[in-house]
Amino acid sequence: MDKDLLLNNYFESNLSDEEKQQFNELLSNDLEFKAEFEFQKKAKIAVALSEREKLKSQLKEIENSRKLKNNNRTWLSLAASIIVILSLGFIFFWNSSAKNDNLYADFYETFPNIEAPTTRGENTLNIKSEAFFAYDSKDYKKAIELFSEIYKVEKTDYAIFYIGLSEMELNEHKKAIATFSLFQGDSNNNFYFYIKWYKALCYLKENDIENSKKLLNEVVKTANPFQSKSKELLSKLD
């Protein structure tokens, strides 16, 4: 009887019915055979565990690699989605901004000098006429400088108005909004509706439609030189 063959066939699950009977008899009666069986059994288990651990490690590496690929695909998909969203947002913003620029160009007109003559001479030479001369000459930086000096001393509404208009001419609409916000007069003031109208145009240029419409709605409530234009612009903003 080949004991090693019996053990090998046992672990290979190849024992015949006769060999099974022999195997069980030896396992019960032969201590040496039993010890060898236990040793090989433990060895087989150790090998199996070792192989399983290797397999688990390999599977883990495969899984991590797959996750990395999936994450890369996810990030690529996410990045692509973000790009699409940003592109659509940019297209929408660009279209909105272009529309607002066109409306601004359609409705904006340089406001004339209605306050002082621009002819300079010995009898008319003063800071006010100099300021308006600069304004009429399109020297808007100089106009801002001179009107600002007037405002510091006199706190006059026309100085605020023409500073803001000059800033608009220089495409400094945020500054113009801040300047127009200095105005404290009510609807009885000559500059009330003028300032609201031009301030609304500044907000339009800055793509702040909410504030632009808010001012335009105030202008349309009362008869004034900009009532009709305000109604027309509001209809285009809706």
Side-chain angles (χ1 to χ4, degrees), residues 39-233:
F39 172 79
Q40 289 195 27
K41 182 179 179 182
K42 288 178 181 178
K44 295 280 185 183
I45 292 172
V47 170
L49 290 174
S50 177
E51 291 298 322
R52 183 181 298 175
E53 203 57 39
K54 278 186 186 178
L55 181 61
K56 282 173 68 178
S57 179
Q58 290 173 349
L59 288 173
K60 189 173 182 180
E61 287 179 10
I62 293 170
E63 184 64 22
N64 288 337
S65 177
R66 184 182 299 169
K67 283 181 179 179
L68 181 59
K69 288 180 180 178
N70 288 337
N71 285 339
N72 287 338
R73 289 195 197 100
T74 301
W75 278 109
L76 286 172
S77 298
L78 181 59
S81 299
I82 291 171
I83 290 170
V84 170
I85 291 169
L86 289 176
S87 297
L88 291 173
F90 175 77
I91 290 169
F92 175 78
F93 175 79
W94 186 87
N95 286 337
S96 298
S97 180
K99 176 189 174 184
N100 295 338
D101 284 345
N102 289 334
L103 285 174
Y104 179 89
D106 289 339
F107 283 88
Y108 178 77
E109 291 180 329
T110 300
F111 196 81
N113 166 16
I114 59 174
E115 287 292 308
T118 59
T119 302
R120 291 189 296 177
E122 290 185 2
N123 296 326
T124 59
L125 189 56
N126 56 60
I127 191 171
K128 184 175 182 179
S129 61
E130 286 288 319
F132 279 104
F133 184 85
Y135 180 83
D136 289 340
S137 301
K138 302 186 185 304
D139 188 355
Y140 297 112
K141 288 185 178 180
K142 184 66 173 178
I144 291 170
E145 179 183 333
L146 294 170
F147 284 122
S148 295
E149 289 182 25
I150 293 170
Y151 183 72
K152 286 178 184 178
V153 177
E154 301 178 14
K155 303 296 181 184
T156 56
D157 296 326
Y158 78 81
I160 291 174
F161 184 47
Y162 283 95
I163 290 170
L165 292 176
S166 297
E167 289 167 339
M168 291 179 75
E169 291 289 345
L170 294 173
N171 204 34
E172 296 176 341
H173 297 89
K174 288 184 179 179
K175 287 185 178 180
I177 290 170
T179 298
F180 289 143
S181 297
L182 296 172
F183 179 74
Q184 301 295 322
D186 57 23
S187 58
N188 294 317
N189 187 292
N190 293 332
F191 293 97
Y192 181 84
F193 293 108
Y194 297 131
I195 285 177
K196 284 194 177 294
W197 165 253
Y198 281 99
K199 190 176 180 181
L201 289 180
C202 287
Y203 278 125
L204 174 64
K205 186 68 174 178
E206 290 297 312
N207 298 306
D208 187 345
I209 304 306
E210 182 179 353
N211 277 316
S212 183
K213 290 172 73 172
K214 180 180 178 181
L215 290 172
L216 292 171
N217 279 314
E218 291 176 19
V219 176
V220 299
K221 290 178 181 179
T222 306
N224 66 82
F226 295 107
Q227 186 181 44
S228 177
K229 283 189 173 183
S230 293
K231 286 180 181 178
E232 184 182 354
L233 180 53

